[in-house]
Amino acid sequence: MVQCRLALGIYTEKSPVVFLRAYKWMADMIRTTNLSSRLLRKRISHLRLILLAGIVVLSGCGSGAPFEELESLRQVPNEKWRVTNPAGFSMVKPFGWHQRIGGVSVVHAGSIVFESCDGQCSRRSHAEFVLGKWLRDPTKQERGLCPLTFQGHDGLGKEEWTEFKDRKLRWKYEKSIFFESTGNWWSLSFTVLCESKDAPLGKSEEYLDTFRISDVQVEGE
């Protein structure tokens, strides 16, 4: 099983541990087993294959392309992937992304989070959409907001790149939108963490524009 995982290049956070255990297992077997010279050469050859596969996994398979998690943003939003929060709002999710639907909290009446990666990714880029229905005005906690119009509603927002020189993913892109409608405050944000400012933002604007406010569904109707 260990050899298969390494040979296939199935990368997880535990791959380095698996690789080292495989190496130790093979080394101990060769050292402690009374083998003929022919069989010994066969075992050594086997070990070399495992070493090669491990090197491939550790140096290549886990790194991935710089922006592979953002590839879905190149696709046009598909209504098939619309996700709805029972609090009365929805948005189309990029294909293959992970979702979390939140209920009532201290500040939210509901939330939706779409993430490009669930932890088993290259970690060379990461993106997310966050939607929220607020219990009170959230703009009082924000800085640098400018007037804007979103889907016919007057609101506030910002769009900026921020550099963190002490981090691997040193660049952060963030677009935030806040507006009031149907007696509630709503927020949408799109954030990308990446190694460079070359990250393709794709059709992120089109995905944000799929945001919809709907009547709250009453159970039993």
Side-chain angles (χ1 to χ4, degrees):
M1 181 62 180
V2 170
Q3 297 95 315
C4 291
R5 290 178 63 82
L6 290 172
L8 291 173
I10 301 175
Y11 182 84
T12 69
E13 293 181 353
K14 295 182 179 180
S15 289
V17 176
V18 173
F19 169 67
L20 290 174
R21 286 179 179 174
Y23 174 84
K24 185 177 183 300
W25 171 67
M26 289 296 296
D28 289 344
M29 186 174 65
I30 292 173
R31 184 176 61 254
T32 59
T33 305
N34 183 19
L35 300 172
S36 67
S37 59
R38 180 179 178 183
L39 188 54
L40 180 58
R41 285 195 298 270
K42 183 177 179 180
R43 293 299 188 188
I44 292 176
S45 177
H46 191 185
L47 176 59
R48 286 175 177 172
L49 288 175
I50 293 178
L51 286 171
L52 178 60
I55 291 171
V56 170
V57 170
L58 297 180
S59 63
C61 295
S63 59
F67 307 117
E68 63 180 343
E69 282 85 23
L70 308 182
E71 284 299 314
S72 292
L73 290 178
R74 300 181 186 275
Q75 303 176 17
V76 175
N78 188 331
E79 282 294 323
K80 179 180 179 180
W81 306 111
R82 178 170 292 277
V83 175
T84 301
N85 187 299
F89 61 101
S90 66
M91 194 178 110
V92 173
K93 177 184 70 171
F95 176 74
W97 284 33
H98 302 269
Q99 69 185 54
R100 288 185 284 118
I101 299 178
V104 178
S105 67
V106 176
V107 296
H108 285 132
S111 63
I112 297 176
V113 178
F114 299 147
E115 293 182 284
S116 63
C117 172
D118 68 345
Q120 301 296 327
C121 59
S122 74
R123 296 188 177 181
R124 298 184 66 185
S125 60
H126 178 79
E128 67 177 16
F129 289 95
V130 180
L131 320 174
K133 180 179 182 180
W134 293 77
L135 298 174
R136 50 184 174 272
D137 184 356
T139 61
K140 297 178 180 179
Q141 308 298 323
E142 297 289 333
R143 297 180 180 179
L145 298 179
C146 299
L148 56 72
T149 300
F150 177 73
Q151 296 183 345
H153 302 287
D154 292 331
L156 298 170
K158 63 181 178 181
E159 183 177 17
E160 62 183 3
W161 282 94
T162 306
E163 184 178 13
F164 303 95
K165 295 184 178 181
D166 58 338
R167 301 181 186 179
K168 179 182 178 182
L169 301 181
R170 62 184 299 178
W171 287 100
K172 176 183 178 181
Y173 169 83
E174 182 178 14
K175 180 180 180 68
S176 301
I177 299 170
F178 301 89
F179 68 96
E180 190 174 11
S181 177
T182 64
N184 296 285
W185 274 94
W186 306 86
S187 69
L188 301 85
S189 69
F190 173 63
T191 305
V192 177
L193 297 175
C194 51
E195 295 177 342
S196 72
K197 293 179 70 174
D198 298 327
L201 304 181
K203 301 184 183 299
S204 56
E205 294 279 354
E206 293 185 29
Y207 279 95
L208 288 172
D209 200 44
T210 67
F211 177 80
R212 297 289 183 271
I213 298 172
S214 57
D215 295 332
V216 177
Q217 297 296 314
V218 178
E219 187 174 351
E221 290 188 349

